[in-house]
Amino acid sequence: MPEQLHEPERAIAGTGAGSGMDLAASEAETLEKTPGGPLGTGPRAKPRSLWSDAWRDLRRNPVFIVSALVILFLVVISLWPSLITTGSPLQCNLAKSQEGSQPGAPFGYDGQGCNVYTRTVYGARTSVTVGVCASLGVALLGSALGGLAGFFGGAWDSLLSRVTDIFFAIPVVLGGLVLLSVVTSNTVWPVIGFMVLLGWPQVSRIARGSVITVKQNDYVQAARALGASNARILLRHIAPNAVAPVIVVATIALGTYISLEATLSYLGVGLKPPSVSWGIDISAASPFIRNAPHALLWPSGALAITVLAFIMLGDAVRDALDPKLR
């Protein structure tokens, strides 16, 4: 007598669903063993973060790629200008004053007989140094003060708000004319210090607002309920999630600081000869714009391209770090 099947087993055997269920179970087991599943979305897939998504978007953005290549080239020639020029920016010959392009001087000579090409290459060092150092100083000082004010609040927050209002009322160029006119140093550091002094309030307000938003999240409240100290909450939970707006603002402002240094040098209160700066060269070439326009064109073009590259880079970073655009 064949063994009688129970009613549920007979139904499964009759429809062939038993083998299908076994197959589905084996497939599920295979997907569990496969890291991330077939599409990288399984339980073992590496969690995606804001920074990984931003880097993925930046790599696909042609604006970021072009601007990053231009900035990389500027950084390289700032560190090693001898790679593309062999002359000295301070070596001038009055006999060649205002002469045009010729072998060894593709950009011609300025009013003092200096090689415009060599001075344009060496001028990139000053602009990149001022822009990067000023942006780092502004970002560090502004984010520290604004972050602490937004985290603790109270009297410290009110005091910082009033101080930033005072600094916002100071015109930048006028402040530079007043403060830098009494400085006798011929280095970039007084200019960088002036930019940090007047630039931190903007970053401070951005950091303050970002910290106030982040500290209200559930994971911050959970860390506080578990007994985490203020320093740990601020450094481990708030700062990594509130730093994105600061990075965007500092990146965009970098191009502004480069143009501000050229403006102050053009007005005679920034860098002064014998320092090499695009602003100094533009100022020296202005009286000869009719007879030797090339002496004004090349440093002005280099300055415009540099500022545009940093602004484009900042715009690309802003778009990549903005969750609303996803």
Side-chain angles (χ1 to χ4, degrees):
M1 296 280 305
E3 185 178 356
Q4 298 294 327
L5 296 177
H6 295 290
E7 193 66 24
E9 295 176 352
R10 185 182 300 111
I12 294 175
T15 57
S19 59
M21 292 177 61
D22 293 339
L23 179 60
S26 62
E27 288 179 353
E29 184 177 357
T30 303
L31 291 177
E32 269 187 27
K33 294 180 180 179
T34 304
L39 297 177
T41 58
R44 298 188 183 182
K46 184 178 180 180
R48 293 168 56 182
S49 64
L50 173 65
W51 303 104
S52 61
D53 289 344
W55 175 240
R56 183 192 61 185
D57 293 342
L58 288 174
R59 288 182 298 176
R60 300 175 179 177
N61 191 345
V63 174
F64 170 78
I65 295 175
V66 173
S67 59
L69 290 177
V70 173
I71 293 172
L72 178 62
F73 173 74
L74 291 171
V75 171
V76 170
I77 66 173
S78 300
L79 296 175
W80 302 285
S82 58
L83 292 177
I84 59 175
T85 182
T86 57
S88 171
L90 303 179
Q91 183 178 0
C92 305
N93 185 0
L94 284 175
K96 297 183 178 181
S97 176
Q98 303 182 24
E99 291 187 4
S101 176
Q102 54 187 266
F107 295 173
Y109 294 88
D110 61 9
Q112 299 297 323
C114 302
N115 192 325
V116 177
Y117 171 75
T118 303
R119 290 187 64 86
T120 302
V121 172
Y122 276 86
R125 174 180 295 176
T126 300
S127 296
V128 172
T129 301
V130 170
V132 172
C133 292
S135 295
L136 288 177
V138 167
L140 293 177
L141 180 61
S143 59
L145 296 178
L148 292 175
F151 182 75
F152 292 104
W156 170 251
D157 188 14
S158 300
L159 176 62
L160 183 68
S161 298
R162 301 293 75 78
V163 172
T164 54
D165 290 339
I166 295 174
F167 277 92
F168 278 129
I170 302 176
V172 177
V173 177
L174 180 59
L177 290 173
V178 174
L179 295 178
L180 295 178
S181 60
V182 298
V183 176
T184 58
S185 176
N186 197 30
T187 63
V188 298
W189 301 113
V191 179
I192 294 174
F194 162 75
M195 294 180 181
V196 173
L197 179 64
L198 292 187
W200 69 266
Q202 180 185 12
V203 176
S204 175
R205 290 211 167 171
I206 297 295
R208 173 184 175 273
S210 182
V211 169
I212 291 176
T213 302
V214 172
K215 77 175 185 178
Q216 299 174 358
N217 292 332
D218 293 338
Y219 57 84
V220 176
Q221 304 301 326
R224 193 184 300 277
L226 292 174
S229 63
N230 288 334
R232 181 178 179 83
I233 293 175
L234 188 59
L235 296 177
R236 296 291 301 273
H237 300 285
I238 294 182
N241 296 285
V243 73
V246 175
I247 293 177
V248 172
V249 173
T251 306
I252 296 177
L254 200 153
T256 305
Y257 295 140
I258 292 177
S259 62
L260 178 59
E261 178 273 323
T263 301
L264 295 174
S265 298
Y266 179 87
L267 295 175
V269 296
L271 297 178
K272 304 174 183 64
S275 298
V276 181
S277 168
W278 290 334
I280 295 176
D281 292 347
I282 294 172
S283 177
S286 297
F288 311 105
I289 187 172
R290 292 186 177 181
N291 299 327
H294 58 273
L296 179 65
L297 174 63
W298 292 109
S300 301
L303 175 63
I305 292 174
T306 302
V307 173
L308 180 61
F310 279 106
I311 292 178
M312 290 170 57
L313 180 69
D315 289 341
V317 173
R318 179 195 59 195
D319 295 342
L321 292 177
D322 191 354
K324 297 179 182 179
L325 298 179
R326 302 191 181 282

